[in-house]
């Protein structure tokens, strides 16, 4: 499936008293990975919302192996798990500058028609872009 790598540097405000990234911030790192993954296809969250589609998270899973620390340059590897239908699923790996695997994760999101406030199929324009890459 399609992969993308995004780099982020850990800010002081993202750490706890131990100097480790606070666990709740990993969801934000995954969001950065998803947003940039879409952007590589020429799609933005903003354009999805402007077309009447929103993508709320259904499921979030995080597995911690080693802590990320203040000022670490992290690489977020975002991989599309399978072809989207009504939902879209991503796997994540976060590495530090030494290429040590720190964290893995998974998210599933559902395509919602904003006018009907109901689940809907993935936009054909997004599917076309995904199919053109594979």
């Amino acid at each position: 499936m399609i992969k993308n790598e995004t780099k982020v540097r850990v800010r002081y405000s993202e750490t706890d008293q131990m100097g480790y990234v606070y666990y709740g911030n990993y969801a934000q790192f995954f969001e950065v990975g998803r947003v940039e993954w879409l952007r590589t296809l020429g799609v933005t969250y903003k354009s999805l919302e402007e077309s009447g589609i929103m993508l709320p998270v259904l499921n979030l899973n995080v597995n911690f192996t080693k802590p990320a620390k203040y000022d670490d340059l992290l690489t977020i590897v975002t991989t599309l798990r399978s072809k989207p239908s009504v939902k879209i699923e991503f796997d994540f790996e976060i590495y530090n500058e030494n290429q040590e695997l720190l964290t893995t994760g998974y998210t599933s999101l559902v395509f919602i028609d904003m006018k009907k406030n109901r689940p809907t199929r993935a936009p054909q324009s997004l599917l076309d872009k995904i199919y053109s890459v594979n």
Side-chain angles (χ1 to χ4, degrees):
M1 288 281 102
I2 306 168
K3 281 188 180 189
N4 182 59
E5 291 188 7
T6 305
K7 299 213 183 274
V8 295
R9 187 162 305 273
V10 175
R11 298 172 296 185
Y12 185 78
S13 63
E14 295 169 323
T15 62
D16 59 20
Q17 278 189 313
M18 297 178 289
Y20 296 160
V21 170
Y22 176 70
Y23 75 93
N25 288 322
Y26 286 87
Q28 292 179 28
F29 292 155
F30 294 168
E31 181 178 0
V32 168
R34 282 194 311 274
V35 166
E36 294 307 318
W37 182 92
L38 283 166
R39 193 178 306 278
T40 63
L41 293 179
V43 178
T44 65
Y45 265 43
K46 183 178 180 179
S47 68
L48 284 172
E49 289 178 351
E50 287 171 349
S51 72
I53 299 291
M54 63 181 170
L55 272 173
V57 173
L58 286 174
N59 189 323
L60 167 68
N61 183 287
V62 185
N63 300 299
F64 303 101
T65 304
K66 291 184 173 187
K69 301 173 187 167
Y70 169 64
D71 206 40
D72 280 354
L73 182 61
L74 304 178
T75 301
I76 305 165
V77 179
T78 306
T79 307
L80 179 66
R81 184 178 267 201
S82 59
K83 301 285 184 182
S85 57
V86 174
K87 67 180 179 178
I88 188 167
E89 300 174 290
F90 294 98
D91 289 314
F92 302 93
E93 298 171 338
I94 298 179
Y95 295 88
N96 64 15
E97 292 171 90
N98 297 324
Q99 301 305 310
E100 296 173 300
L101 179 62
L102 306 179
T103 307
T104 59
Y106 160 83
T107 59
S108 64
L109 299 90
V110 63
F111 293 96
I112 296 288
D113 179 317
M114 293 168 72
K115 288 181 182 167
K116 298 176 183 174
N117 200 30
R118 303 278 305 158
T120 188
R121 297 192 64 70
Q124 189 60 48
S125 58
L126 175 61
L127 294 174
D128 291 343
K129 290 178 183 199
I130 290 169
Y131 293 131
S132 72
V133 173
N134 283 327

